[in-house]
Amino acid sequence: MKSRVAKTLGLVAALAACVGMTVFAAPSPSASTPVTGASAVDASGNTVEVSMTEVPADVAASIQSEETLRVVLGDDFNENVVVADVMEVSVPEGTAFPIDITFEVPGVTSSTTAYVLHYVDGAWQTEPTTVGEGTVTGTFESLSPVAIALDKTTLSSGAGVTSPKTSASTVSVVAVIGLAAAAAAFGMKKSLVK
C-alpha cells in the first residue's frame, strides 16, 4: 500500500514539475522591431510619400519561415537573422524609379546587419540595403510586399529583442494546479492509510 502511495505522489510531483517547466520556460528571443515609418526619394531626387499596409497572411508567412530566409539570404543567412516586419509598400503613381525607401526601425544602428527583402513575381529577393541610426534603406526598381530582416545580435543593447515574460495569471493557474495536486495526493494518502 505504501508503494502505491509513493508511486502516486511521484506521478503527481512529476506532472507538476512538467507543467512548471513548460510554463516558466522563457521563449526564444524574437525581433520586435516593427517599422514605425518610411520616407522615399525618387530617381529625380524628389521626396515621395510612402504608404505601408498589411500584406496577405500567406505572403507574410512565406518569408517568416527559416527555410525561405535561408534560401533568399544564401551565405548571409545565420540563425540570428529574423524578420522584423512585412508590409505592402506603395508610392504615388508616376513616381520615377529607382527609388530609395528609408524605413524607420527602432534598435537599428549603423553597425546592424539588415536586409531589405522584396516579393517579386512570386518569390522573395534581396534589394541593395544600407543602415543608419534607426533606419534601414532599400533601393527598389518596383514595389510590392517588402520585409525587413535583422540580425538580432547586432541591434542596440536592450532594443528590438524580447523574451516574453510569463504572465501573473499563468503563474496563478500553475500554483492552483500544484496545490490541488498536493491536496489530492495528501487526501489519497490519508484514505489509503486508514
Side-chain angles (χ1 to χ4, degrees):
M1 196 169 333
K2 284 186 180 184
S3 174
R4 182 184 275 177
V5 171
K7 286 180 183 177
T8 302
L9 286 174
L11 179 62
V12 169
L15 288 172
C18 288
V19 169
M21 285 187 287
T22 302
V23 171
F24 294 112
S28 300
S30 61
S32 62
T33 56
V35 171
T36 58
S39 58
V41 175
D42 71 8
S44 304
N46 300 316
T47 301
V48 178
E49 185 177 325
V50 178
S51 297
M52 297 182 294
T53 57
E54 289 187 25
V55 298
D58 60 327
V59 174
S62 70
I63 193 58
Q64 291 169 334
S65 88
E66 184 177 311
E67 291 174 23
T68 305
L69 269 178
R70 189 180 294 274
V71 170
V72 174
L73 296 179
D75 292 339
D76 290 330
F77 176 81
N78 74 65
E79 64 279 355
N80 295 313
V81 176
V82 293
V83 174
D85 208 345
V86 184
M87 70 225 91
E88 182 75 48
V89 178
S90 60
V91 293
E93 200 170 313
T95 298
F97 284 83
I99 61 171
D100 291 326
I101 301 179
T102 300
F103 300 95
E104 298 167 18
V105 188
V108 169
T109 69
S110 58
S111 59
T112 295
T113 301
Y115 305 94
V116 173
L117 310 174
H118 186 198
Y119 193 67
V120 180
D121 298 326
W124 288 96
Q125 65 184 37
T126 57
E127 295 294 353
T129 305
T130 55
V131 294
E133 295 302 316
T135 63
V136 176
T137 302
T139 301
F140 298 87
E141 295 291 337
S142 65
L143 288 178
S144 55
V146 172
I148 306 296
L150 306 168
D151 183 327
K152 61 190 174 189
T153 63
T154 64
L155 296 171
S156 66
S157 176
V161 177
T162 61
S163 277
K165 293 180 176 56
T166 305
S167 70
S169 62
T170 304
V171 173
S172 300
V173 169
V174 171
V176 168
I177 291 171
L179 287 173
F186 183 73
M188 280 182 128
K189 181 179 176 186
K190 274 186 127 180
S191 66
L192 290 174
V193 172
K194 287 183 179 180

